[in-house]
Amino acid sequence: MTKSALQIARAAYQPKLPKALKGAVKVQEGEPTHSVADEEEIKKLFPNTYGMPLIKFVEGEEKDYAPMNVGVILSGGQAPGGHNVISGLFDGVKKLNPANKLYGFILGPGGLVDHKYTELTADVIDEYRNTGGFDIIGSGRTKLEKEAQFEKGYEILKELGIKAVVIIGGDDSNTNACVLAEYYAAKNYGVQVIGCPKTIDGDLKNEMIETSFGFDTACKTYSELIGNIERDCNSARKYWHFIKLMGRSASHIALECALQTQPNICLISEEVEAKNMSLDDVVTYIANAVAARAAEGNNFGTVLVPEGLIEFIPAMKKLIAELNDFLAVHAEEYAAIEPNKQREYIISKLSADNAAVYASLPEGVARQLTLDRDPHGNVQVSLIETEKLLSEMVGKKLAAWKAEGKYTGKFSAQHHFFGYEGRCAAPSNFDADYCYALGYTASMLIANGKTGYMSSVRNLTAPAEEWIAGGVPITMMMNMERRHGEMKPVIQKALVRLDGAPFKAFAAVRDMWAKETAYVYPGPIQYFGPAEVCDQTTKTLLLEQTK
Ligand code: FBP
């Protein structure tokens, strides 16, 4: 395989480990834990893994560990640093006992069920250290939820002598990890299951999981691109750029990129919901900013749009919820309807309010809302072209204002969607270190007999030396939510908090950004050079941790 000069140099990077993980470790147990909500239901569903204590690793005495084999699965969307989680896990497992083996299941959780695996040897691991992507074993979105799948998985785990499986995934995949851990514990199969917090979306976080891996690199990559667009925008001075950013539900990516690049407008879905804004309110907000800039002779600007916006507009949210429940049961019937009659069919099946909202949507968006759900029952928001919907509606409003003599500017829009551009970027130093530490911590959780835990590395704005490694019971993060028309235990998604420091910092300056051209151009991620350029983490984390 031909490698770039950067890839070759980067392969030699040795990720930093927290001090406590550098030698032998021992477990320090904290208080028993509770789920974030719906305690009684969660406790009943997870009798073997509920309420376990928080765990912290501290320096301990060397001891011998019996040989063991471990399996690893990459689940869901790619996030920078996944290969370092696996290399940290590999190094940890080999340090415990050089005879230990690590197996990777191919193309996500489906690999466990279908018995597709490969042994990850030192040669393979060395090819992937500090690289982006999940291509070492591939990823997939198969949902592990049925007993038959757990049993099929157990067959291969038994055959390979695997004592523990590490599932590297987001909130849904870690929910599955917890259900699997509970099932194997209840059956006394002697297989442990450990999760690792992955997702560029940044919505798998809480007190013990300060950030999910990949968020740092993905946001830096998008911010580089946004900065480049802003500079182009400020050079040509003739376009409004509408930039949609991935992130499924939460607006963490959009907010972080806004803090890094200071665009004219950044929409925050959580705020749109809290203020009960309609689609027209959002459009009017943008159009007002466009008109105010035009009045100063500035017919250009940048707008950041979070991927999940549509689902947070209250009327749209109600509509999507009804569509989700309806399509969970009638998907086949719907698919059999002729395409030109599908819109009418949906309108006839919805409640009056939702039917009216659905009927008011442009054809393309209406159709996109009924497309296939992902295996977890979510609307595939990345397929909805919100950036085009908004610019089209802003254009129409401005034309109406022009006719009324309220606006005299020119409005010409360009559209972008950044998601895939950042998911497999080479991990920043932060993600390279964080991921390696998460993987290494997972090996220590396994060695200490833990199951149903998520690997946790905290104190992340301090130097890596001072990071705190340990484990959090996954049940602690759970609550009950409606999925596919049924109440299910799931990890609670962390949305942008409107009372949190990152949002407040943004809200304090956004009116100035809207009016002036206050762009910041972050430039590309740097891997070599001064620490203030190379090792900075996200503004979100820095603001959240400033006491
Ligand atoms: P995960 O939650 O699995 O980490 O996925 C993140 C994400 O990149 C979202 O931001 C996006 O909505 C989704 O994946 C797109 O997934 P896919 O490429 O499978 O359609």
Side-chain angles (χ1 to χ4, degrees):
M1 209 200 306
T2 312
K3 287 190 180 144
S4 69
L6 178 68
Q7 262 177 301
I8 295 165
R10 193 67 181 153
Y13 179 75
Q14 181 51 51
K16 307 173 201 79
L17 267 184
K19 189 155 170 267
L21 293 184
K22 286 187 178 159
V25 304
K26 73 170 187 225
V27 168
Q28 202 174 71
E29 286 195 355
E31 294 295 307
T33 55
H34 307 271
S35 61
V36 280
D38 309 310
E39 227 181 295
E40 284 315 306
E41 283 111 308
I42 307 282
K43 199 168 171 179
K44 221 183 284 161
L45 290 165
F46 296 91
N48 296 282
T49 50
Y50 186 85
M52 299 181 299
L54 290 169
I55 280 175
K56 180 172 147 185
F57 289 117
V58 293
E59 286 161 66
E61 308 275 296
E62 287 293 345
K63 62 176 179 180
D64 291 333
Y65 290 91
M68 64 174 184
N69 295 339
V70 170
V72 65
I73 298 173
L74 288 163
S75 180
Q78 284 68 254
H83 289 157
N84 272 29
V85 179
I86 296 183
S87 54
L89 175 66
F90 177 85
D91 291 350
V93 160
K94 289 286 181 188
K95 183 155 185 228
L96 290 164
N97 189 326
N100 291 346
K101 286 185 181 168
L102 179 64
Y103 291 97
F105 289 95
I106 308 294
L107 284 175
L112 176 69
V113 181
D114 301 335
H115 299 186
K116 302 236 162 66
Y117 63 89
T118 184
E119 189 187 337
L120 295 169
T121 55
D123 292 358
V124 179
I125 295 285
D126 288 347
E127 280 293 301
Y128 289 91
R129 288 180 193 270
N130 309 310
T131 58
F134 278 7
D135 42 321
I136 187 169
I137 46 176
S139 184
R141 290 199 184 273
T142 302
K143 189 166 168 63
L144 283 182
E145 58 177 353
K146 301 200 176 79
E147 273 193 37
Q149 293 173 308
F150 302 165
E151 287 295 334
K152 274 301 261 177
Y154 179 56
E155 276 172 23
I156 190 67
L157 296 174
K158 213 165 43 173
E159 193 181 312
L160 297 173
I162 290 179
K163 172 185 155 72
V165 188
V166 177
I167 299 184
I168 302 172
D171 52 344
D172 285 327
S173 311
N174 274 285
T175 295
N176 300 158
C178 194
V179 174
L180 190 64
E182 175 64 33
Y183 183 85
Y184 288 162
K187 291 272 177 179
N188 257 318
Y189 282 172
V191 177
Q192 302 156 238
V193 184
I194 300 294
C196 276
K198 169 235 74 167
T199 179
I200 58 161
D201 297 357
D203 57 5
L204 173 46
K205 67 172 170 183
N206 49 57
E207 225 180 295
M208 303 303 294
I209 304 293
E210 293 177 358
T211 186
S212 54
F213 80 75
F215 176 70
D216 182 88
T217 310
C219 288
K220 284 174 178 159
T221 306
Y222 304 142
S223 295
E224 179 203 350
L225 299 175
I226 296 164
N228 294 348
I229 287 175
E230 286 178 335
R231 208 148 210 174
D232 194 287
C233 176
N234 196 17
S235 305
R237 305 195 181 179
K238 61 176 181 181
Y239 291 128
W240 271 85
H241 290 267
F242 284 71
I243 306 170
K244 184 171 78 168
L245 291 160
M246 255 194 186
R248 200 192 298 278
S249 289
S251 309
H252 298 293
I253 294 181
L255 178 56
E256 172 62 25
C257 291
L259 292 166
Q260 289 193 29
T261 63
Q262 306 193 173
N264 301 102
I265 296 172
C266 174
L267 301 171
I268 300 295
S269 308
E270 292 82 346
E271 185 185 25
V272 166
E273 181 173 41
K275 291 186 169 164
N276 200 10
M277 289 170 85
S278 64
L279 190 52
D280 185 59
D281 292 338
V282 174
V283 169
T284 307
Y285 170 70
I286 301 173
N288 273 329
V290 172
R293 281 179 68 77
E296 309 261 311
N298 297 321
N299 288 299
F300 65 95
T302 45
V303 183
L304 304 189
V305 182
E307 181 178 48
L309 179 74
I310 283 289
E311 276 190 288
F312 282 78
I313 295 175
M316 296 293 291
K317 189 177 183 169
K318 276 193 218 127
L319 166 65
I320 290 171
E322 192 176 349
L323 279 173
N324 281 347
D325 288 357
F326 178 76
L327 290 171
V329 185
H330 298 98
E332 279 181 27
E333 188 181 315
Y334 171 72
I337 308 268
E338 268 179 58
N340 62 350
K341 303 231 167 80
Q342 284 178 334
R343 190 177 166 106
E344 257 170 69
Y345 166 83
I346 292 283
I347 292 172
S348 74
K349 299 288 177 186
L350 293 173
S351 59
D353 282 0
N354 288 336
V357 175
Y358 188 82
S360 74
L361 294 174
E363 181 72 40
V365 177
R367 196 179 42 77
Q368 281 165 343
L369 287 180
T370 59
L371 293 178
D372 283 348
R373 273 40 189 164
D374 74 5
H376 301 276
N378 304 312
V379 175
Q380 301 194 51
V381 278
S382 58
L383 302 178
I384 300 174
E385 294 179 314
T386 335
E387 70 286 18
K388 291 194 182 145
L389 171 75
L390 290 176
S391 85
E392 203 180 299
M393 294 178 80
V394 167
K396 278 195 186 137
K397 192 164 282 281
L398 290 170
W401 287 354
K402 196 171 246 177
E404 291 167 32
K406 286 204 277 186
Y407 161 74
T408 51
K410 282 194 206 116
F411 177 73
S412 180
Q414 295 286 347
H415 305 107
H416 315 266
F417 169 35
F418 296 147
Y420 299 104
E421 292 78 353
R423 296 203 312 185
C424 283
S428 60
N429 285 353
F430 173 82
D431 270 328
D433 296 345
Y434 180 43
C435 289
Y436 187 80
L438 284 171
Y440 198 93
T441 302
S443 73
M444 296 301 139
L445 288 167
I446 298 167
N448 285 282
K450 304 298 170 193
T451 190
Y453 275 82
M454 192 183 290
S455 177
S456 145
V457 175
R458 294 183 293 129
N459 200 27
L460 295 172
T461 50
E465 266 291 279
E466 296 161 35
W467 289 355
I468 300 164
V472 196
I474 302 178
T475 51
M476 188 184 171
M477 305 170 202
M478 288 196 158
N479 68 165
M480 302 296 292
E481 286 176 24
R482 201 170 177 79
R483 295 287 168 94
H484 281 300
E486 269 178 69
M487 291 306 282
K488 295 254 170 164
V490 294
I491 294 178
Q492 197 175 49
K493 253 193 207 310
L495 300 177
V496 168
R497 293 180 57 145
L498 302 184
D499 60 352
F503 178 79
K504 282 187 174 166
F506 159 73
V509 285
R510 64 174 155 188
D511 289 347
M512 187 269 282
W513 294 353
K515 206 163 166 285
E516 287 164 28
T517 302
Y519 303 153
V520 173
Y521 314 116
I525 294 176
Q526 301 294 308
Y527 301 93
F528 306 99
E532 68 274 20
V533 181
C534 300
D535 293 345
Q536 287 246 6
T537 176
T538 55
K539 303 229 181 249
T540 302
L541 203 50
L542 285 169
L543 286 161
E544 279 172 348
Q545 301 214 346
T546 306
K547 299 279 169 345

